[in-house]
Amino acid sequence: MSRNYFIAGNWKMHKTRAEAAALAKELVAALKDGRHKYLVAPSFTALETVAAVVKGSNILLGAQNCAAEEEGAHTGEVSVLQLKDLGVQSVILGHSERRHLYKEDDGLVNRKVRLALKHGFDVILCVGELLEEREAGKAEAVCRRQTVEGLKGVSAADLQRVTIAYEPVWAIGTGKTATPEDADAIHAYIRKVIAEAFCPAAAENIVIQYGGSVKPDNAAALMAKENIDGALVGGASLKADAFVPIAKF
Ligand code: 13P
């Protein structure tokens, strides 16, 4: 397998600039000899601060969202141009909290994906089903729709800058992790969807992270699965003593 493990921390709406800088400093020191690919995604307000700390390290800087437009009258939104100006390299898009709390639909997520790619960013596209969708046997269909619609109009060349994060909504912040087997089955399915929408080589190469209550004690079992290529970590990314063991599994 040629895919490299990619461990990312989504700090969500946590941390002041001072707290973010302190955590980033700890991570830079602890992960400097780490063997995997790493990213942290602080709040917009801490991006500039964290950019200065991770500069020159092996930790990439991500944002948690971006606007679907480049600029204009969009009160409260943040543009890819502004993110680029701060040194951001990657954008998390379609997170379930954006989809469900802020009603972002597949069309909007797709516009953001295409805009971010157009401006040279890497993208982490999140997909995942609600508990009721899983119980109704719709997990695969939901992940297929979110993957295909989210990547509509993306070229095979640009797909190389896309990571998919499978985050079953019922596992986020709940302490309920998908079993490694259940997660791997969906990852394999998403890979099949990518093979159909693009080509088998693209499916083989695309990195698919798992997210949802990843902790130091379950990370290795998840990463051992053939189709799980990394993790998008929420709660356990907020403290170095939880994130570092995951990042160095
Ligand atoms: P938790 O790790 O807190 O479950 O969050 C996962 C997540 O949403 C990462 O984007």
Side-chain angles (χ1 to χ4, degrees):
M1 186 184 87
S2 62
R3 301 186 297 270
N4 290 329
Y5 285 109
F6 180 15
I7 313 290
N10 174 8
W11 294 357
K12 306 192 180 182
M13 195 172 69
H14 295 284
K15 298 198 182 289
T16 62
R17 285 176 302 162
E19 290 164 350
L23 175 57
K25 270 180 206 153
E26 281 187 272
L27 296 180
V28 166
L31 297 180
K32 66 176 188 300
D33 57 351
R35 291 174 294 125
H36 309 312
K37 177 176 171 182
Y38 303 120
L39 174 142
V40 292
S43 296
F44 291 132
T45 51
L47 282 170
E48 187 168 18
T49 303
V50 173
V53 178
V54 300
K55 192 170 184 193
S57 78
N58 58 344
I59 301 176
L60 298 165
L61 184 65
Q64 299 172 17
N65 189 19
C66 69
E69 309 292 335
E70 277 167 15
E71 64 181 328
H74 292 276
T75 303
E77 292 290 298
V78 175
S79 144
V80 284
L81 304 174
Q82 296 165 325
L83 296 178
K84 194 177 279 187
D85 184 46
L86 295 176
V88 171
Q89 292 138 318
S90 184
V91 190
I92 297 172
L93 293 170
H95 191 279
S96 66
E97 288 147 20
R98 299 301 320 169
R99 292 180 190 269
H100 298 292
L101 300 177
Y102 296 97
K103 309 296 173 217
E104 293 196 8
D105 62 16
D106 288 317
L108 179 62
V109 173
N110 176 248
R111 283 168 56 212
K112 294 182 177 193
V113 166
R114 284 186 287 135
L115 187 67
L117 290 170
K118 176 183 158 196
H119 284 276
F121 290 90
D122 292 346
V123 165
I124 297 178
L125 172 65
C126 303
V127 303
E129 80 286 359
L130 297 163
L131 182 59
E132 63 252 38
E133 291 168 334
R134 171 156 285 257
E135 287 173 345
K138 293 181 182 159
E140 289 188 348
V142 169
C143 292
R144 167 182 287 275
R145 191 198 74 229
Q146 292 178 346
T147 302
V148 170
E149 297 295 318
L151 296 175
K152 214 172 230 176
V154 171
S155 69
D158 283 352
L159 187 71
Q160 294 177 14
R161 285 185 284 123
V162 175
T163 296
I164 306 278
Y166 169 57
E167 299 204 313
V169 182
W170 47 271
I172 295 178
T174 58
K176 282 188 206 155
T177 324
T179 64
E181 291 70 30
D182 285 347
D184 191 58
I186 295 284
H187 284 226
Y189 181 74
I190 293 169
R191 223 176 274 293
K192 191 174 120 197
V193 168
I194 296 286
E196 289 164 15
F198 292 88
C199 65
E204 179 60 27
N205 291 332
I206 197 160
V207 168
I208 307 179
Q209 297 173 321
Y210 169 80
S213 299
V214 176
K215 307 287 180 218
D217 63 0
N218 62 22
L222 287 159
M223 299 307 127
K225 288 293 174 192
E226 183 185 344
N227 289 290
I228 302 181
D229 310 317
L232 182 54
V233 186
S237 73
L238 296 173
K239 288 205 166 107
D241 62 5
F243 190 66
V244 170
I246 295 171
K248 289 188 151 179
F249 78 90

